[in-house]
Amino acid sequence: MTAKTTYKNPGDGAIEYASQFVESLSIEEAMPVIKSLMKGELNDTSDKRIKRCSYCNYYWRDDSLRNTKKTCCDDCKKGIKTLQRREQREREALLNPKPKKKTKRETNYVYWLEYPYWINEYEMLKQSWKYESPQSSTKVNQIFAAKERAERIGGKQKSKRVVPYNGDEAEQPKTFVNFVKSNKKPGEVTVSHIEKEQIDTYFLNRYSERHLKLERRRAVLSGDKKV
């Protein structure tokens, strides 16, 4: 069983080598050619310079003098060096792991005994305020009062009120509106009238004839739909 080849982004050398096979082809025509090229079916077996790139794993042709290159371009060379440095760091971390730095609590608090105790009083006070924050007597009374008030009303979250509704508005809760009483009398109603010619003149000055024609057509169509 052959191992599955893992491909990365093709380098410049691999792209240059593949372009000579698909230079004048469309995307649909080039796809089967690229698939055959990735399998190595189009390579010249007599040409020893055609090889796989050690980083991107695509075929390319080595044009160096001694045919000793392992990667098809500088980017692939940088990528393979990055992988080598990462593997080296992982190997060093596995063989020589860094000791975990103890926290101040682990250093100054003897917790494994039956009766734990602190070695350093300053660290004890510094650590304890995070869990037992000191408060004034007035603040403590306010906290207890808020807890008691929350217990009486059933918690901080307000109870959800479900309104029964089945489509009948008669079952909906009634809404009462209280109007402000005032001694002011209503003002005089003014009626204004604009002639049709004035309206036509206003729209002709504001909009073009084409725009008004489209609006009239839209009004007629909307009126037909309502009918």
Side-chain angles (χ1 to χ4, degrees), residues 121-137:
E121 184 180 1
Y122 172 76
E123 292 296 334
M124 178 187 70
L125 297 174
K126 190 176 178 181
Q127 295 283 335
S128 61
W129 75 269
K130 298 179 182 179
Y131 308 99
E132 301 175 0
S133 179
Q135 302 286 350
S136 63
S137 58

Side-chain angles (χ1 to χ4, degrees), residues 4 42 57-59 67 78 90 95 97-98 104 109 112-113 120 132 139 145 168 170 173 177 204 213:
K4 186 178 179 180
L42 303 180
N57 284 322
Y58 288 95
Y59 283 104
N67 193 19
K78 292 178 182 178
E90 292 176 354
L95 298 177
K98 293 183 178 179
K104 292 184 178 180
Y109 185 57
W112 56 87
L113 298 180
N120 191 328
E132 301 175 0
K139 184 66 175 180
D168 189 4
V177 180
L204 284 173
K213 186 177 180 180

